[in-house]
Amino acid sequence: MTVVRFLKADGTLDKEVEAEPGQRLLDVAWAAREPLEGACEGVMACSTCHVIVDAQDFEELPPASEEEEDLLDLAAHATRTSRLACQIVLNEKMKSLTVRVPPGAKNWMGR
Ligand code: FES
């Protein structure tokens, strides 16, 4: 079980939810009704699932693929700890994961 904390763009807590190993962060965000678009639903054809990961948690994640890095170059408000939520799969070792939804993120798919 991983405690996932979603922060607003201003850094305040928006939601805290529990998620199972094997779940993608994008799916956890959608279930929590976070404003992450995820337009391509994880086939690496957009960057609308961009999240900014807490600096300490970022170090614990498996590194981003080259393809993910390329897409992050297109993401608005990208930082050194930016990742694509569709590429983060929770595992048993992750007790908690804190991410910030970038300013201006929206969820036009209504999830
Ligand atoms: S949903 Fe498109 S790259 Fe993550």
Side-chain angles (χ1 to χ4, degrees):
M1 188 73 71
T2 304
V3 175
V4 181
R5 292 184 193 92
F6 293 99
L7 307 182
K8 297 178 194 169
D10 66 5
T12 58
L13 181 66
D14 185 18
K15 287 188 196 92
E16 183 175 293
V17 298
E18 292 183 342
E20 299 291 336
Q23 281 191 282
R24 293 185 314 171
L25 181 59
L26 180 60
D27 297 314
V28 176
W30 281 346
R33 305 191 73 77
E34 282 294 314
L36 274 189
E37 187 173 317
C40 76
E41 302 196 17
V43 298
M44 300 281 274
C46 74
S47 59
T48 61
C49 62
H50 166 220
V51 290
I52 299 166
V53 181
D54 168 82
Q56 194 172 339
D57 293 345
F58 180 83
E59 300 303 326
E60 306 296 321
L61 294 175
S65 66
E66 216 168 290
E67 192 179 5
E68 183 180 350
E69 293 282 2
D70 288 347
L71 278 173
L72 283 167
D73 287 343
L74 306 174
H77 308 289
T79 74
R80 188 187 67 77
T81 64
S82 288
R83 292 294 303 264
L84 296 178
C86 68
Q87 300 301 303
I88 296 175
V89 178
L90 304 179
N91 66 51
E92 308 263 349
K93 286 192 229 152
M94 295 176 182
K95 296 301 170 210
S96 69
L97 177 62
T98 301
V99 299
R100 186 157 46 91
V101 176
K106 54 182 183 271
N107 182 351
W108 61 270
M109 298 178 86
R111 292 189 174 102

